[in-house]
Amino acid sequence: MKKIIFFNLPMKSMENNEACFFGKGNIDCKYEGKVKFGLIAALYGTISQNDNILVVINKTNSNFPNDSDKNIDFFKQEFKDVLKIDLIENKNLKIVESPFTESRQDMQTLYREYLNLIEEEDWLYADTTFGPRLNLPIIFSLFNFAEKFFDAEVKLLLNVKASFGKGNVLIEDSQALYDISPFYSLTNLTNAMKAKSGEQAVKMLDDFFNL
C-alpha cells in the first residue's frame, strides 16, 4: 500500500506567500509554522519518512510566462523542511505535464495517466485548489474509480482558501484549509439512493444532511 498525493501546481509565484494554517478551516492542522503550500501543512502528522509515498504534481504548460518551475522547487524544499521527506523525481515524485487547454482528449489523457499510478488498496490524497477547473471533476471521478475497482481509500480532498492583495501577496488571516471529502461522498450516496420521485430523493438527502 502506498500513499498517493495529487497536487495541482499553481502557475503564479508562491515566493512571498507563506501563511500559518494552524486552527484555520475544518482540518485539524497540527503544523504551527508558515508554509507556501497549504497541502503540506494539512499533511503534517499524517505521513512520515517510513511511508511508501508518491507525490504527483500536475504542471500546466502554457505559452505565456509563469512560475511553475520555481514553484516545483519551492514545493520540494518545503516538503523536505516540514515533512522531512526528500522528493526525488522518478522515485517518489512524478511530474505530469498537461496543456492549458481543456479539451476532451486532454482530460482523458490526464485521467488515464493518473489511473496508471494507482494500485490495490492505495490511500489517496489530493489538493485541487490550483490548476484548470476541470481538474476537480477529474479527481472526483478518478477517486471514485479507484475506490470501486482498486479498493483504495480516499483520505483527503483539500481546498485551500486564501485571498491575495496587491502584488499577489496573501492577505493575512484570509487563509484556511478545507476538506471537501463530504461533497465527494455525495456522489456515492446519490448512486446508492433509491427513490420513487425527485421529491422523495430530496427528502432523503435532507435527512442525511441532518444526521
Side-chain angles (χ1 to χ4, degrees), residues 36-82:
K36 301 179 189 296
F37 304 98
L39 172 64
I40 292 176
L43 291 174
Y44 182 79
T46 67
I47 64 173
S48 72
Q49 294 172 303
N50 297 323
D51 289 329
N52 178 16
I53 72 161
L54 174 63
V55 175
V56 183
I57 294 179
N58 180 14
K59 174 187 174 184
T60 304
N61 288 330
S62 68
N63 294 323
F64 51 85
N66 63 77
D67 290 285
S68 293
D69 289 332
K70 287 184 179 179
N71 287 338
I72 289 175
D73 291 337
F74 289 146
F75 185 89
K76 290 166 64 177
Q77 186 62 51
E78 193 162 273
F79 212 90
K80 179 179 180 179
D81 292 342
V82 176

Side-chain angles (χ1 to χ4, degrees), residues 117-181:
L117 301 173
I118 296 176
E119 299 173 340
E120 295 290 335
E121 300 182 348
D122 283 342
W123 288 9
L124 306 177
Y125 307 73
D127 179 354
T128 62
T129 304
F130 304 102
R133 290 294 171 254
L134 283 181
N135 279 324
L136 180 58
I138 285 176
I139 288 293
F140 271 36
S141 179
L142 175 76
F143 281 15
N144 184 260
F145 191 101
E147 278 190 306
K148 185 173 182 178
F149 298 108
F150 287 87
D151 199 24
E153 292 187 36
V154 176
K155 294 297 184 179
L156 176 65
L157 273 164
L158 179 68
N159 184 65
V160 181
K161 174 188 173 293
S163 297
F164 296 86
K166 188 176 180 180
N168 192 38
V169 177
L170 186 145
I171 299 173
E172 188 63 35
D173 290 329
S174 70
Q175 73 274 15
L177 301 176
Y178 290 99
D179 183 0
I180 59 172
S181 297

Side-chain angles (χ1 to χ4, degrees), residues 2 4 6 54 56 94 113-119 122:
K2 66 179 179 294
I4 310 181
F6 295 90
L54 174 63
V56 183
K94 182 173 180 58
E113 191 160 3
Y114 280 168
L115 190 58
N116 286 342
L117 301 173
I118 296 176
E119 299 173 340
D122 283 342

